[in-house]
């Protein structure tokens, strides 16, 4: 072990499960498309954030970080997502037209 680190601390650190890498905006976008396709209607940003957190439990993000990512992704892609009053999001017409899964 490195100088000043006990063997027990080094072993404990190596046994911890590795946290997943933070998802990219493209991965968050794919997740939102999937969730909104299943919902078949608008969902609150908070519900999307909670669903993202549940679907990717190893990502080290708290709910606030998920809310930021969901909001940022929806705002950055107006061709795919339609925002309703700042708290709800649905699929935009272009996303529905190009969806292969329906």
């Amino acid at each position: 072990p490195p100088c000043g680190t006990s063997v027990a601390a080094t072993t404990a650190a190596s046994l911890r499960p590795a946290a997943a890498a933070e998802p990219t905006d493209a991965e968050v976008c794919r997740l939102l498309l999937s969730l909104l396709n299943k919902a078949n209607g608008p969902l609150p940003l908070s519900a999307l954030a909670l669903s993202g957190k549940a679907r990717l439990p190893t990502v080290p993000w708290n709910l606030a970080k998920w809310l930021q990512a969901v909001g940022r992704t929806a705002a950055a892609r107006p061709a795919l997502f339609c925002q309703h009053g700042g708290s709800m999001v649905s699929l935009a017409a272009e996303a529905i037209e190009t969806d292969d899964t329906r």
Side-chain angles (χ1 to χ4, degrees):
C3 186
T5 305
S6 70
V7 173
T10 303
T11 304
S14 65
L15 294 177
R16 270 188 236 126
E22 292 188 358
T24 64
D25 284 348
E27 291 168 329
V28 173
C29 181
R30 281 192 295 274
L31 178 66
L32 292 182
L33 288 170
S34 170
L35 293 169
L36 289 167
N37 272 328
K38 284 185 179 180
N40 203 20
L43 288 175
L45 289 173
S46 58
L48 291 167
L50 284 170
S51 294
K53 189 168 174 52
R55 282 236 185 133
L56 300 172
T58 58
V59 172
W61 283 0
N62 61 20
L63 184 58
K65 186 93 172 188
W66 272 107
L67 279 168
Q68 289 173 348
V70 167
R72 180 179 62 244
T73 300
R77 293 169 176 83
L80 297 177
F81 304 107
C82 181
Q83 293 193 344
H84 306 276
S87 63
M88 301 278 286
V89 176
S90 66
L91 291 176
E94 185 176 322
I96 294 169
E97 291 170 6
T98 60
D99 181 16
D100 301 355
T101 61
R102 288 187 180 212

